[in-house]
């Protein structure tokens, strides 16, 4: 699946930013605290921290690991404008949003006009998607679903990634069925294979075989024992994200192997620091070390494959770590 990015003109970006600021003033007071995507004062790590806290402190036994199939590409324009009209009466703002939604996309020499979905790359797109999902999902959960759930429950959402935690299995099964019907009313569907129900209660025995694991915001969540023997929820980099990181590092080192060593080293240091900045959370040190070693492996391999004129001797490769040290793995977020 290929993702088409829409790049607005500079003038259009300014107008979209201004409209986004107006929409923030209107909707920020209505958004729920469990919605963390594309909002000031919210982040992925806040969502991860809240998820861990709710699962450990609450009596949560099941997780509805939901995946909306092509959410941003399947938002219905008419339904989105209907939702916005409930709070925004300015005709000029509505006409601008309608034009942005229906703006043509040029691919090569072919010009197409999307019938649904928000612009990937548009300044206003995250806010428009947040407004739509707030109405479709957040309000539905807070006003209709949660009062009908017998046990404890929670919803945590970051953009189109969200989880529903329930105390009882019957509640979780009802949420999956009701959620499917709710999304279908607005032209969205749950992914048939990626959406699943995961048993995730606090283990009562030494074994965790009865529990499963799930991925959220790039991390795999699972129950394990701490050094003191207590049951805690640990997080580590998801395998899919790890494989993607390895592939990108390998390809980057291959394409830039003829560049000056200092420039390559500077760029790889920035890549490692960026990786640590997001994935550097407690209990994930081992996966950070894997990325650190993979960078060295890829860099040494492709430097040894340079042309004879600019190749580096084996003796030089062995001294590379001393001449060009990389930042060591570190835990940035203690969540």
């Amino acid at each position: 699946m290929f993702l088409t990015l829409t790049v607005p003109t500079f003038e259009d970006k300014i107008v979209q930013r201004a409209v986004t600021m107006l929409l923030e003033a209107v909707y920020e007071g209505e958004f729920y605290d469990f919605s963390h995507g594309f909002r000031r004062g919210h982040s992925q790590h806040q969502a991860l921290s809240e998820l861990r806290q709710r699962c450990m402190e609450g009596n949560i036994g099941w997780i509805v690991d939901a995946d909306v199939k092509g959410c941003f590409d399947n938002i219905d324009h008419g339904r989105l404008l209907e939702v916005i009209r409930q709070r925004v009466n300015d005709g000029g703002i509505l006409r601008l949003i309608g034009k942005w939604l229906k703006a043509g996309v040029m691919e090569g020499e072919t010009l197409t006009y999307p019938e649904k979905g928000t612009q990937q790359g548009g300044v206003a797109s995250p806010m428009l998607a947040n407004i739509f999902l707030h109405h479709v999902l957040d309000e539905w959960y807070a006003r209709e679903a949660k009062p009908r759930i017998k046990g404890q429950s929670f919803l945590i959402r970051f953009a189109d990634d969200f989880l529903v935690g329930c105390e009882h299995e019957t509640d979780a099964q009802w949420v999956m069925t009701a959620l499917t019907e709710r999304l279908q009313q607005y032209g969205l569907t749950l992914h048939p294979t990626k959406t699943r129900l995961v048993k995730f209660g606090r283990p009562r025995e030494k074994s965790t075989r009865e529990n499963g694991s799930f991925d959220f915001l790039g991390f795999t969540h699972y129950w394990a024992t701490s050094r003191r023997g207590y049951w805690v929820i640990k997080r580590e980099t998801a395998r899919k994200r790890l494989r993607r990181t390895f592939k990108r590092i390998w390809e980057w080192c291959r394409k830039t192997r003829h560049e000056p060593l200092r420039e390559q080293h500077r760029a790889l240091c920035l890549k490692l620091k960026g990786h640590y900045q997001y994935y550097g959370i407690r209990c994930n040190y081992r996966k950070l070390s894997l990325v650190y070693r993979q960078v060295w492996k890829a860099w040494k391999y492709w430097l040894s494959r340079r042309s004879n004129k600019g190749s580096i001797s084996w003796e030089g490769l062995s001294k590379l770590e001393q001449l060009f040290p990389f930042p060591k793995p570190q835990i940035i977020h203690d969540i």
Side-chain angles (χ1 to χ4, degrees):
M1 179 179 179
F2 295 94
L3 179 63
T4 302
L5 293 178
T6 302
V7 182
T9 61
F10 178 73
E11 294 81 359
D12 204 22
K13 288 181 179 179
I14 294 176
V15 178
Q16 288 194 29
R17 183 64 239 172
V19 172
T20 299
M21 293 173 66
L22 291 174
L23 294 176
E24 285 179 352
V26 173
Y27 283 97
E28 187 60 34
E30 295 190 1
F31 287 159
Y32 292 94
D33 291 338
F34 55 73
S35 173
H36 298 277
F38 307 114
R39 295 178 59 192
R40 296 182 182 180
H42 292 261
S43 67
Q44 294 99 321
H45 293 99
Q46 283 184 327
L48 292 167
S49 179
E50 182 181 348
L51 171 61
R52 185 175 186 270
Q53 181 180 1
R54 297 297 296 270
C55 288
M56 290 190 63
E57 296 181 359
N59 194 21
I60 300 300
W62 298 85
I63 295 292
V64 179
D65 185 7
D67 184 278
V68 182
K69 188 176 181 181
C71 179
F72 290 97
D73 296 329
N74 292 296
I75 293 179
D76 185 87
H77 293 169
R79 289 190 174 95
L80 174 58
L81 290 173
E82 288 178 5
V83 171
I84 297 177
R85 285 193 188 98
Q86 296 177 10
R87 297 289 288 112
V88 178
N89 296 323
D90 190 290
I93 299 296
L94 294 173
R95 283 193 297 272
L96 281 174
I97 295 175
K99 290 180 179 179
W100 294 331
L101 293 174
K102 299 183 182 299
V105 178
M106 180 68 75
E107 297 184 50
E109 299 181 355
T110 304
L111 179 63
T112 58
Y113 295 90
E115 298 181 356
K116 56 183 179 179
T118 59
Q119 294 180 351
Q120 299 293 322
V123 177
S125 295
M127 172 57 69
L128 296 178
N130 244 359
I131 293 172
F132 191 70
L133 290 174
H134 167 75
H135 175 79
V136 175
L137 180 62
D138 300 353
E139 286 189 335
W140 167 81
Y141 170 78
R143 298 181 181 181
E144 299 182 29
K146 191 172 183 178
R148 298 185 59 179
I149 297 176
K150 298 179 181 179
Q152 298 183 28
S153 70
F154 67 83
L155 168 66
I156 295 178
R157 181 174 69 84
F158 189 94
D160 60 332
D161 293 331
F162 66 94
L163 298 170
V164 180
C166 296
E167 180 179 356
H168 304 300
E169 183 180 5
T170 54
D171 288 335
Q173 292 175 343
W174 177 84
V175 166
M176 287 191 67
T177 303
L179 184 59
T180 301
E181 297 175 355
R182 174 68 176 181
L183 293 177
Q184 287 178 350
Q185 294 176 7
Y186 291 87
L188 300 175
T189 57
L190 290 175
H191 199 287
T193 57
K194 295 182 179 180
T195 301
R196 61 197 183 105
L197 187 62
V198 181
K199 182 174 176 56
F200 201 71
R202 182 185 293 271
R204 299 180 180 179
E205 301 177 356
K206 295 183 179 180
S207 175
T208 59
R209 294 179 180 178
E210 61 179 7
N211 270 331
S213 62
F214 61 89
D215 293 346
F216 184 62
L217 297 180
F219 291 92
T220 299
H221 298 68
Y222 61 97
W223 282 98
T225 54
S226 65
R227 293 181 178 179
R228 297 182 179 182
Y230 299 111
W231 285 110
V232 295
I233 294 177
K234 294 185 178 182
R235 285 77 51 86
E236 63 180 21
T237 309
R239 291 183 180 180
K240 184 177 180 180
R241 294 288 185 93
L242 205 60
R243 289 195 299 267
R244 188 171 65 184
T245 300
F246 288 171
K247 182 178 179 180
R248 288 180 175 178
I249 290 174
W250 192 265
E251 290 296 323
W252 188 90
C253 291
R254 180 182 66 84
K255 293 179 180 179
T256 61
R257 64 185 183 274
H258 297 295
E259 301 295 328
L261 290 182
R262 292 190 180 278
E263 294 184 8
Q264 292 187 50
H265 175 256
R266 186 183 302 109
L268 288 173
C269 286
L270 291 176
K271 292 180 184 295
L272 277 174
K273 289 180 180 178
H275 186 84
Y276 300 157
Q277 187 65 37
Y278 183 77
Y279 292 100
I281 68 174
R282 195 196 312 172
C283 303
N284 196 34
Y285 188 87
R286 187 172 63 89
K287 292 298 177 71
L288 297 180
S289 299
L290 289 178
V291 175
Y292 175 82
R293 291 195 295 270
Q294 179 68 13
V295 170
W296 274 119
K297 179 180 178 181
W299 199 33
K300 288 182 177 180
Y301 177 86
W302 285 112
L303 286 180
S304 67
R305 295 300 188 273
R306 298 193 344 168
S307 63
N308 293 330
K309 184 177 180 180
S311 61
I312 299 179
S313 64
W314 288 108
E315 183 180 356
L317 288 175
S318 63
K319 296 181 179 179
L320 200 62
E321 296 187 29
Q322 299 177 0
L323 297 174
F324 298 98
F326 285 137
K328 296 294 182 64
Q330 56 180 324
I331 302 301
I332 305 295
H333 308 278
D334 187 21
I335 60 174

